[in-house]
Amino acid sequence: MKNKLWKLLTVMIALTMLITSLVGCTTPTEEPTESPAPEEPVVEPTEEPVVEPTDEPAPPEPVTMRIGTTFLLDTVNINVSWTSWQMWRLIYDSVVETGELGVYRPGLAESWEVSDDGLVWTFKIREGATFHDGTPCTAEEVAWSLNWMIDVGNDSLSYLWWNFTEVVALDATTLQITTGDPLGNMEYLMFWAFIVPESVWGQFDTYETMAEFVDLSAATGTGPYKLAEYEADDYLLLEANENYWGGKPPVDTIIFQQYASEDAMVQALMAGEVDIVDGIPSTALTTLQDLENVQVEIMQAYALDELSINTHEDGTQPESLLDPVVRKAIEYAIDREAINQVAYAGLGTPGTTMIAPSLGDWHNSEIEAVTFNIEEANRILDEAGYVDGDGDGIREWSDGTPLEYRLMATEGATYARMLEIISDGMAQAGISAPPTLMDYDSQAALVYAWDYDLNMWQWGMDIDPDFGMVIFKCEERYEWGWNPNGYCNEDYDALYVQSATAVDHEERRAVIWEMQEMIYEARPWIVLVYIPSMQAYDNTAFTGFKTDAANIWTKWSIMEVEPVQ
Amino acid sequence: MQRGDYLIRKTFYALITLIVVIIFNFFLFRILPGDPVRALIQNARMDHDAVDRIKAQFGLDKPIWFNFEGSTVQVIASEVSLLAEPEAGSSVEHTASAGERLNYEQRSEDGQWILAARSNAEGSVTARGWAPAESVKVSVNPLDSQFFVYMRNLLQGELGDSFAQRGVPVSELLAERVWRTVVLLVIGEVTAIVLGIMLGIVASWRRGSRLDTGIMLWGLFTWSIPTFFFGIILVILASGHLPTGRMVTVGLKPEDGWAYWADVGKHLILPTITLGIGFTSSYMMVMRSSIVEVLSEDYILTAKAKGLNTFQILRDHALKNAMLPMVTLITLSLGYTVGGAIQVETVFSWPGVGRLIYDAVGDRDFPVLQGAFLLIAISVIAANFLSDLLYSALDPRVKVE
């Protein structure tokens, strides 16, 4: 019997080793980035999508679009969902929608205006929108939905509306929102206001009971698609909503098929199993570009790679890292162009601030990143008195401690190569920073304990600059906060309040530019590259995609797509 | 009666092993670095309250081993005022009446005061304050911990709910996927066993010949090549001719009958070839060496002398004895098969238990991992049990010690 136990143990250990090796394969998924869009600009709401009685010769073949992806909806209950917002947007409508990156368009609201004191917002809700179950979506429904999410809870969204003091429908088409302070990003807050029906959610008045609801009917919205089938980690089948207020969508069925890797997806595209792939590895780029029937789209998005420098006053980093000169020298030693080449085939954009240029005028275009220059890095370190006294190739601080730092990133082949470039550059400037890779949550545990020196991370960011700003606030420096670099500055926090409450675009932009400059000069972050979004599709199946939203299958794009006959 | 005793003892040992595995399973995943909530939420923007709510829902707010914190406080005095600070004259946060239950939070350093909180139905705290220790009764339940909740649920036959697929019971997930893995494994294993035995016989009978060398070389090659790598090569070769991923074309339903099953069959080809070829070599080599060994025995010489032909010798004298190590190998390899299934199912996006495990590791989905490993452990134990029984039936020399 003893050896039976041993056999079993061996099996278990072998499995454990396998599992541990698999742990390394996890890479962080993208953040709840967004950019989908509604429908054409302002369609007259009254035109009921009556079935056209035109003299069409034969009923057209139903059009099916298959999209390969590496992740699906995490659940059919949007209130406990943490990801896949682009898919949710096909099922639900928001009060405000987007088209091109950073451009807001009417959604369930046709228009909106704000009172002179900036505290009362009035939204005109369109007529004719109905939920998939047939209930009309009036201003009352919209108000109910917002209030319900605020009271009962929605994991990812309800906190956005913390400043709302009252949400009420004045009549069937007028929604009025009163806020505690003037808000500079009301469109953004309404862009995340997915409207859920009372007919489905009215039966739940506590978070706990609501969270358990995973029936397919949970996904009832007003969007152009209805959720017809869902197999977690497998596929998602959406059917066109014939009664969509924006008109019948041109694609009758959309199937999202999940693949275990981007490489498998590329194979599926080449074999004709899918029409679109949601992401392609830069290693497959040339192969796909050479194919005649495949169109590759490379779009600028707002995700970025960044190197955080631990500047927390209670951190375990060597004191020399708190010296701005050292941080500046580190930036001089980073070859952003090489990183862009290695990671994104040169298709990304070398980075400067936390707000990507694709966010339009929120990005401070006057900031110019210092360019890769080893001599300059060496010169400023020499000047500041960091010299290599013992001849080991590593500079020392005045107290004799060498400039040796821990440098880490998330596990993954690309990250490993990016870290090497950073580490090599720093070595040439007399700074030792051997690279270490670990999985995302181990990394997070160290970061939020301020037990690290240099950490490379990828961020999805969001359509509004607010998120980029939040990252550097003092109050975000806690275990579940957003500040991973330890930066804390009262002046910055004061500017943040200004940026959040500036209703005027120009006023808000000026503050946001100042904040970007402040962070750039202080260097708690060195933004490495703005990451391009790469997708591909079979151009013998569909054309007419909108490529201005960093994703070709946003609601905005899908409504415009043309099937190739 | 001997046999009955033997069975009882084996069953008893199998049960002990199972209990060890169950306990081991719980800790195995918790020593992985990282936090499930962190792994799942990753970059999603969420506020602190939402994170706390999620932790509470997963039961991750409880201590792992024993819960000495106490969960509730019952008011025993006729009326108690919860104070903002544990001193007279500080403001009253809430006045609790006799019998009211509050959440226990912590005890003051001198032990005189207890910090209690009152929460509403949604679980959010509405009032928090200090009460004098003598006016309340703390009910400590040390077993209200992650480990004991897990054990209690298991005893009730519950495997818990998946973290990643919020609210979906693990048993449902496993039940749905297990047959898909079984189909894959059974076809792969049967192919491997049949092919392995046949090739092993041929190689041993022709040992030393070019054929033998060829078979052995091929066996070593396929044995050394990692399953996932072999799978990827097949994907590249077959891309465009055969489906390279998933179980069935989306849209087809079992109701479609023949079309559905034909489609599943097509999707099965590549993964089962990968599994089958990978497993064949070990069966083949063990078969070959054990026949070679048997063939050198004196009774084979006798059989030859009796004038029996090759086929008769193999069938009646060599094979029976050579099969013994095969039985052990086949049953034992069942455990490793699942490991192979994880790789194959990931390469071919096959939605079975292997893929479930792969995804669950990335998500730190403890309940799913515990459930899947329990399933694997049970099948390994059952296979071992079966092998013991078969062995004693096949080889009369193996008697109950």
Side-chain angles (χ1 to χ4, degrees), chain A residues 4 31 80 229 439 479, chain B residues 38 43 166 253 364 388:
Chain A
K4 286 284 132 60
E31 116 89 0
V80 293
E229 289 173 35
D439 57 287
E479 192 199 348
Chain B
R38 175 73 76 178
N43 293 3
R166 256 131 288 151
K253 300 265 147 35
R364 305 287 190 282
D388 283 336

Side-chain angles (χ1 to χ4, degrees), chain B residues 110-123:
Chain B
D110 56 6
Q112 302 292 306
W113 296 84
I114 281 168
L115 183 65
R118 178 192 155 91
S119 51
N120 59 15
E122 286 94 56

Side-chain angles (χ1 to χ4, degrees), chain B residues 244-365:
Chain B
T244 54
R246 317 173 46 77
M247 188 181 76
V248 65
T249 308
V250 177
L252 282 174
K253 300 265 147 35
E255 295 90 270
D256 296 333
W258 197 81
Y260 175 84
W261 296 109
D263 193 65
V264 172
K266 264 200 227 158
H267 281 81
L268 263 171
I269 296 174
L270 291 183
T272 46
I273 289 183
T274 313
L275 271 178
I277 304 268
F279 296 146
T280 304
S281 46
S282 59
Y283 293 130
M284 184 189 87
M285 284 189 281
V286 168
M287 196 64 203
R288 180 187 175 277
S289 63
S290 64
I291 295 190
V292 166
E293 204 184 303
V294 172
L295 286 181
S296 66
E297 297 279 345
D298 290 344
Y299 62 84
I300 298 290
L301 194 66
T302 314
K304 271 187 189 160
K306 284 199 287 187
L308 296 180
N309 66 27
T310 310
F311 178 71
Q312 283 170 320
I313 293 177
L314 271 177
R315 191 193 58 193
D316 296 338
H317 298 273
L319 258 185
K320 270 190 186 164
N321 288 321
M323 279 311 282
L324 285 176
M326 282 299 283
V327 172
T328 320
L329 184 69
I330 290 169
T331 46
L332 232 172
S333 68
L334 277 178
Y336 296 100
T337 316
V338 178
I342 295 179
Q343 295 184 12
V344 169
E345 290 184 5
T346 305
V347 170
F348 294 101
S349 308
W350 184 266
V353 176
R355 259 295 290 293
L356 190 66
I357 293 177
Y358 178 86
D359 291 336
V361 170
D363 296 339
R364 305 287 190 282
D365 198 339

